[in-house]
Amino acid sequence: MTSATAAPTGPRTRKSVTGTRRTVAALFLLPALVLLGALVVYPIGYSLVRSFYDQSGDGFAGFDNYQALFTDDGIRTALKNNVIWVVFAPTVATALGLVFAVLTERVRWGTAFKLVVFMPMAISMLAAGIIFRLVYDQDPDKGVANAVWVGVHDTFAESSAFPKAHPGRQSPLKAAGGGAFVTKAPVSAGTPVALPLVGVAPDQLPDGAQPAAAPKAEDGKVTGTTWQDFTRGKGVGKLGGVDAAELGYPGMRIEAVKDGEVVASTKAADDGTFTLPAEADGALLRLPASNFAEAYNGLDWLGPSLVTPAIIGSYVWMWAGFAMVLIAAGLAGVPRELLEAARVDGANEWQVFRRVTVPLLAPVLAVVVVTLMINVLKVFDLVFIIAPGSSQDDANVLALELYRKGFASDQPGIASAIAVFLLLLVIPVMWFNVRRLRREVRR
């Protein structure tokens, strides 16, 4: 017998774990690698090189552009605001997403609620910015935020109905300081007092305003009328006298003041007439400033002090749904027997949530927080659209400052340095995320 012919021992083409030859795999990956290099690697490299050159691009500037990151006031404000964004936006969005995910499991219409909360994710940042620019409009008749805020305020604090009223010509009233008006001479019981005012458009008077009535004398009491002493039409009406077409000031507050102290007060009726007791005899009549205070117009949401929290609020409105969906998916994989075991052991719902649910969801919460942190480091659209020009400097973030330096100020070197700095800020967060994902795979 002859021994079996030995199998050839020459080199063989190696295959990947999927059975595909590595050469074939490399050929399929080549177009993606070319695009990745052209669209990602090359721009990063070019920005890194460009960040060391001056504005013209011809002179080497060294680290001057990076030094400007910490000396330029606009960039420092942007950096401070980015810190605020990174700390609060992901935290609030994740917390709301967690609450929504847990609560919607307990209601029958949870799916519909999740759909509504997630719906803003279908809106572009540009469209969301336009929406919230209108929401935060200062005028309560246009801005929803101030309409709600003013409504709540006016429920507890009565607003003035006569913000622009003031004494006219030959008026018995004079300014008393602080926006109040006072009679020039003391009043007497039994002698009617006329307190004419002007400055309020007829269509702006309260709905309950009635045609003004002339005051009638009453023994032992101070009576009078306060009204809009103006009749449309040249030469129509009598100055200082009540005319048929003129309306009273309903609700106008009148105070009798002696030696700086209020001894009596009242409010005018719908026709402007009022009556004060005998204590008002010999006193000065004062119309306090509260009658003429400007109507409450809400908060300046897009002003320097509130613009960043307001924009963060719009971001949370968009991304809370994203957090909710991911957390809800993680919550579906939580073993229910662990939750039931905790309840059997005597834990209440808050303890189950805090000591069982949240620790089991920790990997999912980490994914959501890290993803949102990367996202807010690059936020641009919302800030650019929502913040008006007057407060855009106060709402500035690094991505917006990059745009302003690169295009508005024509400083490409500093803009490139900002881009590299942003990349350096994102890399640690991405590295943490990659390490966490690898640990999850090993499990």
Side-chain angles (χ1 to χ4, degrees), residues 98-342:
L98 176 61
V99 171
F100 290 157
V102 172
L103 293 182
T104 50
E105 276 205 334
R106 301 171 177 270
V107 294
R108 297 166 63 181
W109 39 269
T111 302
F113 180 81
K114 289 178 182 178
L115 179 63
V116 172
V117 175
F118 187 75
M119 196 176 295
M121 284 296 299
I123 302 174
S124 69
M125 286 280 198
L126 175 64
I130 295 173
I131 291 171
F132 275 88
R133 182 67 180 267
L134 296 174
V135 168
Y136 291 133
D137 195 286
Q138 180 68 42
D139 187 353
D141 293 332
K142 299 178 182 178
V144 175
N146 264 343
V148 174
W149 192 265
V150 170
V152 173
H153 173 274
D154 290 349
T155 300
F156 300 98
E158 186 177 355
S159 60
S160 169
F162 320 104
K164 297 183 179 180
H166 60 274
R169 292 180 294 124
Q170 303 176 16
S171 174
L173 295 167
K174 64 178 181 180
F181 301 103
V182 66
T183 54
K184 297 175 181 177
V187 297
S188 302
T191 303
V193 182
L195 302 178
L197 295 167
V198 295
V200 180
D203 58 345
Q204 297 298 318
L205 284 168
D207 295 336
Q210 299 293 327
K216 296 180 180 179
E218 293 187 31
D219 293 337
K221 295 182 179 181
V222 175
T223 59
T225 300
T226 176
W227 80 101
Q228 176 78 0
D229 188 23
F230 177 78
T231 303
R232 289 181 175 176
K234 187 176 181 180
V236 178
K238 180 182 178 182
L239 187 64
V242 177
D243 298 308
E246 296 171 348
L247 298 175
Y249 280 169
M252 176 72 75
R253 185 172 182 81
I254 301 99
E255 298 175 342
V257 181
K258 287 183 179 179
D259 300 325
E261 295 186 1
V262 177
V263 296
S265 64
T266 188
K267 286 187 177 181
D270 290 346
D271 59 3
T273 58
F274 61 87
T275 302
L276 289 165
E279 289 81 2
D281 185 33
L284 294 174
L285 297 190
R286 181 174 65 187
L287 304 180
S290 58
N291 290 316
F292 314 105
E294 290 287 343
Y296 184 67
N297 206 37
L299 296 176
D300 188 7
W301 295 101
L302 299 182
S305 58
L306 290 178
V307 62
T308 295
I311 299 174
I312 290 177
S314 66
Y315 178 89
V316 170
W317 175 78
M318 288 192 67
W319 288 86
F322 167 81
M324 178 195 66
V325 169
L326 289 188
I327 295 171
L331 194 60
V334 172
R336 301 299 164 179
E337 55 269 18
L338 294 179
L339 304 180
E340 293 302 326

